[in-house]
Amino acid sequence: MKTLVEFIWKQREKFGHATGEFSHLLNDISIAAKIVNRDVNRAGLAGILGTHGSTNVQGESQKKLDVIANNEFIKALGNGKQCAAMISEENEDVIVFEDNIAANAKYIVAIDPLDGSSNIEVNVPIGTIFAIYRRKSMGNTITMEDVLQAGTELVCGGYIIYGSSTMLVYTTGDGVNGFTYDPTCGIFLLSHENMRIKDPGTIYSINEANYIYFPDGVKKYIKYCQEDDPSTNRPYTTRYIGSLISDFHRNLLRGGIYIYPGTKKNPAGKLRLLYECIPMAFIAEQAGAKASDGFRRILDIQPEHIHQRSPLFIGSRSMVEKAEAFMAELSPEFFDFYSESEKA
Ligand code: AHM
Ligand code: MG
């Protein structure tokens, strides 16, 4: 079986000019992931469940494991020398690695170190989401141009799911591959080669408790999913874990759509563009699926600030297109609500 390290180096050989720096960076991420995996697995025994007592930039209470995971990735990327700067859900400002800049580090990493952390105590899968960009400037400082790049500039998008087994799934724009962690040997092994999403799927995932706040386009789509039409396998089935990675991963394997829409009160929804929506969108597209904010392709959105939020409609292509059609027909005003909120 092919290990992640072998796979990364094989991929590198495809690009004659590759220096190996990107391979090192991905390897650094996988090492931090192994440590976080260990901590997540032992959380109930190690006294590291519960809240940390602090809040992050989003005003959300941080869990102890949020902080631990964030520190592991900062350590791995800081020591690894390939990452010039990191954007994390847990840090208000860009984390700049001065020593790595001095050593000409070429990459910027945006990361949600522990996504779905509200599920930590109940043993539901959680994960890490990461996006890797190439630096635009190669001077002594990090510029906003380096950190605010659209998804079309992405070099790599990936996630690690700490679930019934731990998996690392990533793409560099050449298909999506998944690696399962073998804890007895401490290595990730290629288990899911060239992952493709089924289209259409039969699963829809949305926090339906917020139904009354949803745009009419989303309400109509939910009703569409619930209609009786055996010729299109409807009614679909609903599955919502409340951990984006888990909901996305299941839909990637089975076929389906995940929606976190904007509402009038929160026009840009909840999820963050740079380290949640963009990397997942890149993976989705590379698996033959689609990701939008209900109107625009996620990868085309130019980020205005590092913790910007975006609505997310992601999954089997025809399902996302159906939901987009209802948004265009019944909720066109939401496009302006989102765009205004981006500037705020
Ligand atoms: P987090 O990054 O603070 O964990 O928040 C993101 C999570 C997603 O993983 C999940 O899909 C969503 O929040 C669930 O939100 P809600 O509880 O509003 O349905
Ligand atoms: Mg998250």
Side-chain angles (χ1 to χ4, degrees), residues 198 200-206 221 225 233 235-240 247 249-259 314-316 319:
K198 200 167 132 197
T202 50
I203 299 171
Y204 72 100
S205 312
I206 187 165
Y221 184 69
C225 293
N233 285 324
Y236 296 153
T237 189
T238 180
R239 292 283 182 276
Y240 189 74
D247 282 308
H249 186 72
R250 182 203 51 244
N251 293 357
L252 173 62
L253 295 175
R254 297 263 165 88
I257 184 171
Y258 170 97
I259 304 178
I314 190 167
S316 302
M319 297 174 90

Side-chain angles (χ1 to χ4, degrees), residues 22 58 88 158 220 256:
F22 174 76
Q58 341 281 340
S88 165
K220 175 88 185 273

Side-chain angles (χ1 to χ4, degrees), residues 107-151:
Y107 295 99
I108 304 284
V109 176
I111 197 161
D112 179 353
L114 213 52
D115 178 66
S117 51
S118 62
N119 289 305
I120 287 173
E121 271 96 350
V122 292
N123 269 7
V124 162
I126 47 181
T128 299
I129 311 176
F130 60 92
I132 303 176
Y133 291 93
R134 200 167 277 113
R135 266 179 90 188
K136 293 271 185 193
S137 69
M138 284 304 282
N140 296 332
T141 50
I142 293 296
T143 64
M144 279 330 258
E145 206 197 355
D146 290 326
V147 291
L148 293 178
Q149 298 188 47

Side-chain angles (χ1 to χ4, degrees), residues 60 89-90 112-117 127 129 244-245 270-272 275-276:
E60 297 156 351
E89 177 176 328
E90 306 304 333
D112 179 353
L114 213 52
D115 178 66
S117 51
I129 311 176
L244 168 63
I245 292 186
K270 177 182 185 188
L271 302 175
R272 275 56 54 121
Y275 41 83
E276 292 180 319

